[in-house]
């Protein structure tokens, strides 16, 4: 059987102070595919800008800034705000308060918003492209978060490398997946902005899930909680991914079970 040659056209959007990368896997890169990529890029850019207007803590008139100033009415003004507020509250409860949407005493759900925003635009604009038989896969990444999907009738799978945060040339794991989400958090990265930082030797955590918000929350918690506490959570919530402790070999975990592994390939 002849092997299909794939093309991976991509676009980069700068919103919410980070670059987002849109990527397609196509077996026929013609003008129509290029036009579709341009179209979804414009729509995704606009939607991410709208989300930033609501949630940016750097905009004086954003709903988050108004909420920080004591205006509780904003909860009633936006379904997006209600959704994030509820998800942030649930994440804090499920993680024993290790993950929190408050920074320096102020409500700031920025980290959770980024994963949620990727989920929103991915489902609305990218997944519908899989109806085109020329498009076998869609992909969106930003700030350590990745969401991806494959057309049901296709044999294509995304090969996703997890790099060592201290050495971008060192690949610690490679996952071959069709559909899902991957989030990676490292010590000194976005997790450092959460003030409930624990004394942890964990340097980096990657979590695989169907839902990107869940993956991102647990990856952040893994860095903050420390390996012993996080191992309990891995078991309780059937988590999958890989963890790196300081000066130790990577530890992979699958559906709640820890596995010693120098290099995980799935």
């Amino acid at each position: 059987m002849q092997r299909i040659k794939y093309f991976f056209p991509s676009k980069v959007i700068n919103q919410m102070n980070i670059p987002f990368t849109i990527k397609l896997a196509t077996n026929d890169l013609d003008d129509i595919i290029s036009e579709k990529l341009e179209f979804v890029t414009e729509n995704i850019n606009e939607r991410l800008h709208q989300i930033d207007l609501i949630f940016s803590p750097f905009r004086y008139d954003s709903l988050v800034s108004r909420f920080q100033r004591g205006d509780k009415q904003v909860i009633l003004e936006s379904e997006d705000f209600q959704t994030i507020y509820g998800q942030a509250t649930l994440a804090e409860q499920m993680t024993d308060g290790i993950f929190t949407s408050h920074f320096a005493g102020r409500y700031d759900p920025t980290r959770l918003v980024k994963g949620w925003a990727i989920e929103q635009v991915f489902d609305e604009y990218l997944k519908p492209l899989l109806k085109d038989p020329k498009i076998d896969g869609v992909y969106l990444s930003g700030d350590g978060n990745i969401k991806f999907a494959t057309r049901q009738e296709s044999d294509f799978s995304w090969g996703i490398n997890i790099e060592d945060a201290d050495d971008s040339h060192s690949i610690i794991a490679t996952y071959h997946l069709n559909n899902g989400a991957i989030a990676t958090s490292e010590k000194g990265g976005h997790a450092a902005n959460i003030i409930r930082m624990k004394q942890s030797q964990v340097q980096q955590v990657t979590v695989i899930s169907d839902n990107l918000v869940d993956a991102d929350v647990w990856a952040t918690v893994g860095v903050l909680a420390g390996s012993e506490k996080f191992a309990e959570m891995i078991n309780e919530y059937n988590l999958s991914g890989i963890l790196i402790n300081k000066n130790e070999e990577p530890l992979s975990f699958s559906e709640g079970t820890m596995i010693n592994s120098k290099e995980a390939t799935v």
Side-chain angles (χ1 to χ4, degrees), residues 62-96:
S62 73
L63 298 191
V64 163
S65 293
R66 286 172 54 191
F67 188 80
Q68 290 176 346
R69 296 195 298 270
D71 184 358
K72 301 301 188 287
Q73 284 295 114
V74 299
I75 298 178
L76 304 176
E77 293 183 20
S78 167
E79 290 186 9
D80 289 344
F81 193 95
Q82 292 174 25
T83 298
I84 289 296
Y85 190 84
Q87 290 193 10
T89 301
L90 179 61
E92 189 162 341
Q93 293 171 348
M94 290 183 65
T95 63
D96 299 332

Side-chain angles (χ1 to χ4, degrees), residues 169-194:
H169 299 292
S170 176
I171 298 173
I172 59 173
T174 300
Y175 295 102
H176 299 278
L177 302 167
N178 300 102
N179 302 278
I182 294 179
T184 298
S185 180
E186 65 271 358
K187 195 167 188 177
H190 62 260
N193 293 327
I194 296 180

Side-chain angles (χ1 to χ4, degrees), residues 32-221:
I32 295 176
I33 297 297
S34 298
E35 289 173 5
K36 286 187 175 184
L37 178 57
E38 289 286 349
F39 181 73
V40 298
T41 298
E42 291 175 6
N43 285 325
I44 289 173
N45 185 58
E46 182 178 349
R47 176 62 172 137
L48 290 175
H49 179 65
Q50 292 172 352
I51 292 172
D52 193 45
L53 291 176
I54 296 172
F55 292 104
S56 174
F58 306 108
R59 296 179 182 270
Y60 182 81
D61 58 348
S62 73
L63 298 191
V64 163
S65 293
R66 286 172 54 191
F67 188 80
Q68 290 176 346
R69 296 195 298 270
D71 184 358
K72 301 301 188 287
Q73 284 295 114
V74 299
I75 298 178
L76 304 176
E77 293 183 20
S78 167
E79 290 186 9
D80 289 344
F81 193 95
Q82 292 174 25
T83 298
I84 289 296
Y85 190 84
Q87 290 193 10
T89 301
L90 179 61
E92 189 162 341
Q93 293 171 348
M94 290 183 65
T95 63
D96 299 332
I98 297 173
F99 186 94
T100 177
S101 58
H102 287 77
F103 177 65
R106 301 175 62 173
Y107 180 70
D108 184 357
T110 298
R111 184 61 211 174
L112 192 145
V113 167
K114 290 177 180 178
W116 174 82
I118 289 175
E119 285 271 0
Q120 296 300 300
V121 298
F122 185 89
D123 289 344
E124 185 171 357
Y125 299 113
L126 285 176
K127 284 193 75 174
L129 294 181
L130 295 176
K131 296 176 183 178
D132 188 330
K134 294 182 180 180
I135 298 176
D136 283 33
V138 290
Y139 170 107
L140 179 60
S141 67
D143 201 26
N145 291 332
I146 305 172
K147 183 75 176 179
F148 50 91
T150 302
R151 185 165 53 84
Q152 190 172 1
E153 300 84 2
S154 174
D155 293 327
F156 174 80
S157 63
W158 288 101
I160 300 175
N161 293 328
I162 307 301
E163 298 176 344
D164 189 330
D166 293 331
D167 181 5
S168 61
H169 299 292
S170 176
I171 298 173
I172 59 173
T174 300
Y175 295 102
H176 299 278
L177 302 167
N178 300 102
N179 302 278
I182 294 179
T184 298
S185 180
E186 65 271 358
K187 195 167 188 177
H190 62 260
N193 293 327
I194 296 180
I195 60 174
R196 298 184 184 185
M197 176 74 80
K198 312 296 181 182
Q199 290 299 320
S200 169
Q201 295 299 307
V202 177
Q203 300 296 300
Q204 182 176 329
V205 174
T206 295
V207 174
I208 305 167
S209 177
D210 293 330
N211 182 280
L212 186 54
V213 174
D214 291 345
D216 194 26
V217 167
W218 287 118
T220 302
V221 168

